[in-house]
Amino acid sequence: MAGTRLTTDEATRRLRAHLRQRAYGPQDKLEPERVLAPKIGCSRETLRAALDVLEKEGLIWRHVGQGTFVGPRPAHETIRPSVLAEMASPADVLDARLLIEPPIAGEAALRATADQIALLRGHALRSSEAPDWQSYEQADDAFHKGIARITGNPLLIAFLDVLSSVRGRARWQRQHDLAFRRARKKEYAAHQGRMHLAIVEAIAARDPKSARQAMFDHLSAIRAIMVHDAVD
C-alpha cells in the first residue's frame, strides 16, 4: 500500500486517525517513516507533507536525526526555520525585516566594492522594470540578499535566506500578488525600483545613515501596502 496515491489531505486525515487509535502519550515517539507510510497507505513523500501539516498545528514535533514526537515542541527545543516561515504572517516577516535590514544596509555602505554596487544597481533596475510580481520578487530577492552578502557576515546572510524562503509560501504569494495588482503593476515596480536605487546611491556614497533610512522607507512602504490589503 506504500505506493497508493493519496492526496496530502487524505494522508493527513488518516494520520490523525492513526494518532487517535494508537493513543500516544505526550512526547511519545512515532514510528519511523518507513514503517508509518505503509500503515497510512501513502508514499513517504506524502507522509512527510502530512507530518508538516500536523507539526504546524502543534500536534507533533520533529527532531532531525531523532524522530517525530507527539505533542507540542518542548520549550528548550528550537523550531525549524521552515516551520517558522510557514507560521509567520506577511506583517511578521516585514516587522522582522524592518528591525534587521536597515542596519545591514548601513553596514554595506561601509564595505561595498564598486563591483558589488554595480550588481546591486542592476538588481534595482530589473525590479523597476518587472512586468509581473514573480519577476519583481526575483529581482527584489536578489537585491536584498546582495546587500546582506556585502557584509560578509554568514549569520546575516543566513537570516536573509530564511526570510527569502517565505516568498515561496502560498500565504506570502497571495498577499504580495494582491498588493502588486492593486497598486498597478508598472507603478508598483517602478516605485519600489526607485526606492531600491535610493538605497544603492546611499551605499555608493558611503553614507550609512542614509542607507539605513532608505532601507527603512522601502520596507515600510511595502508593509503599509501589504498589511492594508490584508485588513481590507
Side-chain angles (χ1 to χ4, degrees):
M1 293 191 57
T4 301
R5 294 186 177 180
L6 291 183
T7 66
T8 299
D9 287 344
E10 291 169 331
T12 302
R13 178 176 54 78
R14 291 191 184 187
L15 183 57
R16 292 183 197 278
H18 176 75
L19 294 180
R20 288 193 300 269
Q21 291 165 4
R22 288 292 300 269
Y24 291 96
Q27 303 308 316
D28 280 353
K29 186 176 180 179
L30 268 64
E31 303 95 315
E33 289 181 4
R34 67 179 182 278
V35 175
L36 190 54
K39 290 183 178 180
I40 301 303
C42 64
S43 67
R44 291 174 69 172
E45 181 180 2
T46 301
L47 174 62
R48 292 187 193 108
L51 289 169
D52 279 343
V53 173
L54 297 193
E55 184 175 16
K56 288 157 193 168
E57 294 176 357
L59 298 179
I60 62 168
W61 65 281
R62 287 181 280 185
H63 191 297
V64 177
Q66 295 188 25
T68 302
F69 302 86
V70 175
R73 181 181 298 272
H76 64 276
E77 292 286 346
T78 58
I79 301 176
R80 292 187 296 122
S82 61
V83 176
L84 279 174
E86 188 67 37
M87 294 167 57
S89 69
D92 291 332
V93 174
L94 286 162
D95 285 344
R97 293 180 67 182
L98 279 164
L99 289 171
I100 300 297
E101 290 197 59
I104 290 177
E107 183 67 15
L110 300 175
R111 294 174 177 265
T113 66
D115 287 345
Q116 289 170 328
I117 291 169
L119 186 62
L120 289 181
R121 187 171 282 112
H123 294 320
L125 290 172
R126 279 190 291 278
S127 70
S128 69
E129 299 167 355
D132 51 52
W133 74 266
Q134 291 98 333
S135 300
Y136 174 84
E137 284 273 271
Q138 290 172 1
D140 184 64
D141 188 44
F143 178 78
H144 288 274
K145 284 183 177 178
I147 292 175
R149 290 193 182 101
I150 290 171
T151 69
N153 187 316
L155 291 178
L156 294 177
I157 294 168
F159 177 82
L160 265 292
D161 283 341
V162 170
L163 289 180
S164 178
S165 71
V166 179
R167 296 175 186 268
R169 306 294 177 179
R171 191 177 184 185
W172 175 276
Q173 289 181 0
R174 286 194 302 270
Q175 195 59 36
H176 201 188
D177 186 33
L178 178 62
F180 195 90
R181 285 187 284 107
R182 285 192 176 181
R184 288 180 291 195
K185 297 177 182 179
K186 291 184 178 179
E187 292 180 14
Y188 181 93
H191 178 64
Q192 297 304 329
R194 286 194 296 271
M195 300 189 91
H196 282 165
L197 285 170
I199 297 168
V200 174
E201 296 311 320
I203 291 174
R206 311 293 181 193
D207 186 343
K209 182 178 179 180
S210 294
R212 287 193 296 269
Q213 187 62 53
M215 179 64 78
F216 182 86
D217 292 344
H218 166 53
L219 295 174
S220 295
I222 295 176
R223 189 190 189 285
I225 293 170
M226 292 187 69
V227 173
H228 177 269
D229 285 338
V231 171
D232 287 351

